Amino acid sequence: MLPLMLGVRDVAFPRLNAFGYFTFLAGGILLNSSWFLGGASNAGWFAYANLTSRQFNPGFGVDFWILGLQILGISSTTGALNFFVTILNMRAPGMTMMRLPIFAWMMLITSVLILLAFPVITIALLLLLLDRMVGTTFFEVASGGMPILWQHLFWVFGHPEVYIIILPGMGVVSEVLPAFSRKPLFGYPIMVFSGAAIGFMGFTVWSHHMFTTGLGPIANAAFALTTMAIAVPTGIKIFNWIGTLWGGSIRLRVPLLYALGFISMFLIGGFSGIMHSAAAADTQQHDSYFVVAHFHYVMIGGALFALLSGITYWFPKITGRMMSDAWGRRIFWLFFAGFNITFFPMHFLGLDGMPRRIYTYSAEMGWQFWNFTATIGAFILAISLLFFIIDLFRALRAGAPAGADPWDARTLEWHTTSPPPVHNFDQLPVVSSLDAFWEAKQGAATLSAPPEHEERIHLPQPSYFPALCTLGILLGAYGLLYSGALAIGGLALAVFSIYGWAFEGVGEAK
Ligand SMILES: [Cu+2]
C-alpha cells in the first residue's frame, strides 16, 4: 500500500523488497520445519534462560527457533530500511512530510523502531546460539553468566516490538476513520507527534516486564513512571479518533466497524496495561491470567481488529472487487462477541489467582465456569475468522466490481484503478495539500502534473539473485545444525548471490 499512498511507482529498493519477502518465507519454513525434524522449541516465545540451555533443553528445537528468528530479523530489517528510505525519498511531488498520509507516518516510526530494536534481539540470539553451540556461558549461572541479562536484552527488544505491532494498526485506523466520517483526521500534527512520542517512549519501559525479578524499588519506580507516562500520547490518539468521528457524516461500513472495535477494545487493553504499570499491583497480577487478558486486548483488540479493518478497507483496491457488506457485519459481530467471551473472563480468572501457562488445575480452585465460558468464546472466535476467510474467497471470485474509489476516500491509492497496474499510476500525481485527492474530487485542487513533471515509466527488471541469496541463507542455517559442508555451501551461495545482485544491471522492463 505504501507506494500507492505516496503516489509513486514502487518502493525505493524493489529487489531488497523481494529479498525481504523471501527471507520472511525462509524464516517461517525453517521455524516450522522443526515440527517434523525432531521437535520444535519448547521454551516459550520469551525463551527465558535457563529454559534454553543445552543442559535443560537438548535437541535442536531451541536452535531452530534461534536461527528462524535471525532469518526473520533479516527480513524485518531490510523491510524497515526499505520503507524508511521510500517514505523519506519517494514521495509524490509536493508531498511534504506534513502532507504524508498518517499511515505512512506510522510506518516511518515503526521502521525506526525496527531498525533500533532488532539489533538487540539479534545480539541476544547470537549469544544464546554461542552458549548452545560453542559452549560459552553468557546465560549460565554456574560459570558466572547472568540469566537476567537475557530478560533485559529480550525486553529491550520486546517492548518496542509491541509498538512495532500496534503503530501500523493505529495508522490503518487513522486512515479508516476520516474516510468513513467524511472529515479530515482530527489534529493531524498531534497524531504524528504522539505516534513519534509513543515510539520514543517505547524504549524506556522494558523493565515493567521484570517488576518481580528483584531489580529493587528505585528501578521499579522509574519503570512504573515511564510506563504510566506512555499512556499519555496513547490517550491523545484515542481523543483525536473520537474527535475525527465527532460531528462527522458517519457511514457505518465494515472497515469502520473494525476500527471502532479497535478503539474500544484497545482502550480496555490500555487500561489493564496501566494497572500493570503500578509495580506493587503488578506483583499480584504477574504471571496470572490477568496478564493474558491484557495481552489479548492489546494484540487482538488492537492489532487484529486494525488488521481486519485494513483488509476490509483495502480489499477492493487490491482485488478490484467488493466484500459483502451484509456478511461483513454479521462476521464482525460474531468476531466481536467471540473475542470478548474468550478473553474478558480471563480478567476474573487472573484476579482469582489462576496462573498462566498451566494446562490443568484442581476442581476446588473454582475456575471452571469462566474457563468453560472462555472455551465457548474461543470456538465462536475461530468460527468467525473461518467465515471471514470464506467470505474473502467468495468476494475474490464473485464480489461486485469495486471501481477506483468505492469508499469515496481521501488518499492517493484511490486515485488509480482497482487493482492498480504494475506501474501504479499512468501519470504520477502532484500534491498540493494534506487531503489533495479529496480536494481534487471537490474541484478545489488538481492532481495532474504540469508537462515538465511527466516522465517515462521506469521499472527495474526482475532478478533471481534475491531469492538465490535467501536459498543460500536457508541452506546455511540447516547446515549449522546438520552439516558443516552444507553450512559453508549455503554461505558461499549467499555471498555469490550478493555479488551477482550488486553487479547485475538494473535494465528496463518497459
Ligand atoms: Cu512492555
Side-chain angles (χ1 to χ4, degrees):
M1 298 314 302
L2 263 181
L4 283 166
M5 297 177 84
L6 298 173
V8 294
R9 303 225 182 278
D10 203 343
V11 289
F13 308 117
R15 289 180 184 176
L16 194 66
N17 210 23
F19 179 67
Y21 166 73
F22 283 120
T23 42
F24 187 77
L25 184 66
I29 288 172
L30 185 82
L31 207 57
N32 284 296
S33 69
S34 62
W35 296 101
F36 310 102
L37 294 170
S41 177
N42 56 0
W45 72 278
F46 42 86
Y48 280 174
N50 48 20
L51 298 174
T52 51
S53 70
R54 182 70 75 204
Q55 182 191 353
F56 301 115
N57 210 327
F60 280 154
V62 173
D63 304 296
F64 269 110
W65 181 80
I66 294 170
L67 292 169
L69 253 62
Q70 293 290 48
I71 295 176
L72 288 168
I74 296 172
S75 169
S76 298
T77 305
T78 55
L81 261 174
N82 209 346
F83 294 160
F84 185 75
V85 177
T86 301
I87 294 166
L88 286 183
N89 285 357
M90 305 274 293
R91 283 167 280 135
M95 188 183 277
T96 59
M97 288 308 278
M98 290 317 273
R99 292 176 187 165
L100 268 186
I102 189 78
F103 177 74
W105 256 116
M106 293 306 115
M107 288 307 297
L108 180 70
I109 296 163
T110 304
S111 300
V112 174
L113 294 193
I114 290 175
L115 292 173
L116 295 176
F118 270 71
V120 183
I121 193 70
T122 303
I123 295 296
L125 290 168
L126 182 66
L127 299 183
L128 182 58
L129 194 69
L130 290 173
D131 269 14
R132 288 180 60 86
M133 286 194 169
V134 186
T136 56
T137 57
F138 292 106
F139 306 119
E140 298 281 350
V141 161
S143 314
M146 291 175 69
I148 199 83
L149 173 65
W150 171 268
Q151 288 199 30
H152 278 294
L153 291 173
F154 183 80
W155 288 114
V156 167
F157 150 80
H159 191 90
E161 169 66 27
V162 174
Y163 295 103
I164 289 168
I165 294 171
I166 208 73
L167 280 168
M170 291 176 162
V172 170
V173 168
S174 301
E175 295 292 351
V176 167
L177 288 171
F180 292 89
S181 308
R182 304 173 70 76
K183 271 178 66 191
L185 181 67
F186 185 83
Y188 169 88
I190 308 288
M191 287 302 244
V192 170
F193 288 117
S194 61
I198 291 172
F200 178 78
M201 293 163 85
F203 281 98
T204 66
V205 299
W206 77 89
S207 280
H208 64 206
H209 297 272
M210 302 163 64
F211 279 151
T212 60
T213 57
L215 298 175
I218 294 176
N220 276 4
F223 283 100
L225 289 174
T226 55
T227 304
M228 289 171 195
I230 206 167
V232 175
T234 312
I236 289 171
K237 278 195 177 298
I238 303 243
F239 278 113
N240 279 15
W241 287 324
I242 295 170
T244 304
L245 290 162
W246 198 272
S249 168
I250 293 172
R251 294 170 302 166
L252 213 53
R253 306 294 293 274
V254 177
L256 182 63
L257 285 175
Y258 282 109
L260 296 175
F262 168 94
I263 296 174
S264 50
M265 297 299 101
F266 184 69
L267 195 62
I268 295 177
F271 279 147
S272 55
I274 298 172
M275 293 166 79
H276 293 144
S277 71
D282 182 75
T283 307
Q284 167 73 21
Q285 293 153 9
H286 186 84
D287 262 348
S288 78
Y289 255 77
F290 197 84
V291 178
V292 181
H294 159 73
F295 181 88
H296 287 89
Y297 271 85
V298 173
M299 286 297 137
I300 296 185
L304 189 55
F305 269 85
L307 185 65
L308 295 176
S309 177
I311 289 173
T312 50
Y313 180 54
W314 281 310
F315 183 87
K317 177 53 59 187
I318 294 166
T319 65
R321 291 180 184 278
M322 299 300 288
M323 292 179 77
S324 154
D325 198 55
W327 273 103
R329 282 164 198 283
R330 290 176 194 137
I331 292 166
F332 167 80
W333 285 112
L334 203 61
F335 176 74
F336 187 84
F339 165 69
N340 280 294
I341 296 170
T342 308
F343 294 107
F344 206 84
M346 293 180 185
H347 291 112
F348 308 140
L349 287 167
L351 292 179
D352 209 16
M354 180 171 167
R356 67 195 296 193
R357 300 183 183 126
I358 56 173
Y359 74 97
T360 188
Y361 50 85
S362 65
E364 62 262 31
M365 300 310 291
W367 295 329
Q368 287 100 324
F369 176 75
W370 287 122
N371 272 299
F372 187 59
T373 309
T375 302
I376 294 170
F379 277 99
I380 297 173
L381 190 60
I383 289 167
S384 73
L385 285 170
L386 186 69
F387 281 164
F388 187 90
I389 292 166
I390 291 170
D391 190 46
L392 208 68
F393 279 102
R394 190 208 53 79
L396 207 54
R397 291 164 52 91
D405 183 22
W407 308 121
D408 195 12
R410 316 183 72 85
T411 35
L412 286 174
E413 73 272 30
W414 307 102
H415 181 47
T416 187
T417 54
S418 308
V422 180
H423 53 277
N424 284 358
F425 300 93
D426 289 338
Q427 194 190 20
L428 292 181
V430 175
V431 167
S432 54
S433 64
L434 173 60
D435 283 312
F437 176 55
W438 174 263
E439 284 165 21
K441 283 191 289 186
Q442 317 301 319
T446 173
L447 288 174
S448 53
E452 64 268 24
H453 273 297
E454 285 189 37
E455 51 175 81
R456 73 204 162 77
I457 294 173
H458 163 87
L459 286 174
Q461 274 177 343
S463 166
Y464 288 108
F465 286 115
L468 212 55
C469 183
T470 305
L471 183 66
I473 292 172
L474 183 60
L475 293 177
Y478 279 113
L480 274 181
L481 300 179
Y482 291 108
S483 136
L486 184 62
I488 293 168
L491 182 70
L493 179 60
V495 172
F496 163 77
S497 308
I498 290 170
Y499 272 92
W501 183 349
F503 289 109
E504 186 187 34
V506 195
E508 283 291 325
K510 57 178 86 170

